[in-house]
């Protein structure tokens, strides 16, 4: 079982909806990540939080809004998405430092109608 | 700029065959880390191995083995006696120190193991 838990596993939303993806880890990791993965493509980095502060934003459109309320929790707020935003959204965490392995959740599969 | 190439898009083997997944990377840095991840149909990326650029020792873990050769910038992954449960997409990834935790993934190799 993965130690990074993502909810919901599946989400279908309209372009005018507001929804959120949630990620939780209880491994004491201080770096958390959001990745986006389209079908048959590798994951693409979206955001990195380090010690609950946003450290990397890979020029992601503002319709995606990350939030890290505490060291165990990471949210991705979604608003006014486009159909091309449909993808698997993966959360990951790392203990500390820059060179350790990432632990990934199973992802939230998002469909935008 | 760094780059990871996994030239094999899809590989299909019969159970018990050995299979090697290729990974070639490009970087000007002398200090870096290489990773392999497995992504089964469930979606989660499962960490398999991390290797730093100063450690060229090959590694074996059960049916898995990795061959790191700096001279050819390759970090190949071999599964011995493949099993149906090995069916997944496998990603090779490169991480440069000082790049604030950013992994560069290859495009992945889909492995299908059939009975």
């Amino acid at each position: 079982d993965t130690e990074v838990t993502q909810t919901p596993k599946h989400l279908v939303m309209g372009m005018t909806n507001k929804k959120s993806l949630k990620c939780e880890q209880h491994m004491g990791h201080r770096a958390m990540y959001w990745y986006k993965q389209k079908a048959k493509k590798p994951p693409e980095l979206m955001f990195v939080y380090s010690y609950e502060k946003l450290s990397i934003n890979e020029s992601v459109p503002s319709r995606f809004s990350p939030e890290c309320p505490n060291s165990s929790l990471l949210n991705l707020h979604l608003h006014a998405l486009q159909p091309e935003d449909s993808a698997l959204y993966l959360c990951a965490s790392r203990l500390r430092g820059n060179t350790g392995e990432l632990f990934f959740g199973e992802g939230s599969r998002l469909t935008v109608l | 700029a760094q780059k990871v190439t996994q030239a094999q898009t899809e590989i299909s083997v019969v159970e018990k065959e050995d299979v090697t997944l290729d990974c070639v990377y490009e970087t000007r840095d002398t200090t870096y880390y290489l990773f392999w991840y497995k992504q089964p149909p469930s979606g989660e990326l499962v960490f398999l191995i991390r290797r730093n650029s100063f450690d060229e020792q090959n590694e074996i873990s059960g049916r898995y083995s990795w061959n790191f050769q700096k001279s050819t910038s390759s970090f190949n992954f071999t599964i011995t006696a493949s099993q149906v449960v090995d069916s997944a997409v496998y990603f090779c990834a490169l991480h440069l120190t000082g790049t604030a935790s950013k992994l560069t993934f290859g495009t992945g190799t889909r492995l299908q193991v059939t009975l």
Side-chain angles (χ1 to χ4, degrees):
Chain A
D1 285 344
T2 180
E3 295 183 76
V4 177
T5 305
Q6 291 188 242
T7 55
K9 291 205 178 332
H10 299 273
L11 177 63
V12 179
M13 60 186 290
M15 289 189 285
T16 58
N17 293 158
K18 280 186 181 180
K19 297 285 184 184
S20 296
L21 305 181
K22 179 179 169 182
C23 173
E24 206 161 355
Q25 58 87 13
H26 296 286
M27 296 179 283
H29 291 182
R30 303 311 301 268
M32 296 185 76
Y33 303 70
W34 280 115
Y35 280 84
K36 173 183 177 179
Q37 187 178 23
K38 301 282 276 184
K40 302 195 177 199
K41 297 287 187 184
E44 297 174 11
L45 182 64
M46 300 176 72
F47 302 103
V48 180
Y49 273 84
S50 180
Y51 291 86
E52 294 126 65
K53 288 190 178 357
L54 183 65
S55 59
I56 294 178
N57 176 342
E58 289 286 292
S59 303
V60 179
S62 60
R63 58 185 184 269
F64 295 92
S65 175
E67 179 196 19
C68 189
N70 59 59
S71 59
S72 302
L73 193 54
L74 184 67
N75 297 321
L76 186 62
H77 303 298
L78 315 170
H79 174 54
L81 294 193
Q82 305 296 311
E84 58 265 28
D85 296 322
S86 299
L88 180 68
Y89 288 84
L90 291 159
C91 175
S93 68
R94 174 180 275 149
L95 180 58
R96 57 179 173 270
N98 290 335
T99 58
E101 62 269 26
L102 291 175
F103 290 80
F104 284 85
E106 290 189 347
S108 293
R109 190 164 297 281
L110 172 67
T111 302
V112 182
L113 301 175
Chain B
Q2 61 275 8
K3 185 180 176 183
V4 177
T5 300
Q6 293 180 257
Q8 304 149 309
T9 307
E10 280 193 48
I11 301 176
S12 186
V13 299
V14 176
E15 204 176 40
K16 295 190 178 57
E17 286 185 8
D18 298 347
V19 59
T20 296
L21 309 182
D22 298 333
C23 173
V24 174
Y25 61 93
E26 295 175 32
T27 178
R28 290 200 189 102
D29 285 37
T30 56
T31 304
Y32 50 88
Y33 290 79
L34 294 163
F35 297 80
W36 275 96
Y37 282 89
K38 172 184 180 181
Q39 188 174 37
S42 61
E44 169 195 2
L45 277 98
V46 178
F47 165 77
L48 296 178
I49 191 171
R50 179 184 72 164
R51 173 67 72 227
N52 76 55
S53 53
F54 297 109
D55 182 3
E56 286 194 72
Q57 189 173 2
N58 291 331
E59 181 155 339
I60 297 174
S61 176
R63 296 184 296 109
Y64 295 170
S65 61
W66 291 269
N67 182 358
F68 176 30
Q69 295 201 339
K70 281 180 79 169
S71 60
T72 55
S73 297
S74 66
F75 187 41
N76 296 338
F77 172 32
T78 297
I79 302 175
T80 302
S82 59
Q83 299 176 2
V84 172
V85 293
D86 296 326
S87 298
V89 180
Y90 291 85
F91 289 98
C92 181
L94 169 69
H95 177 241
L96 305 181
T97 56
T99 55
S101 312
K102 191 170 176 179
L103 274 179
T104 299
F105 283 93
T107 49
T109 297
R110 181 176 298 276
L111 174 65
Q112 185 72 38
V113 182
T114 55
L115 292 171

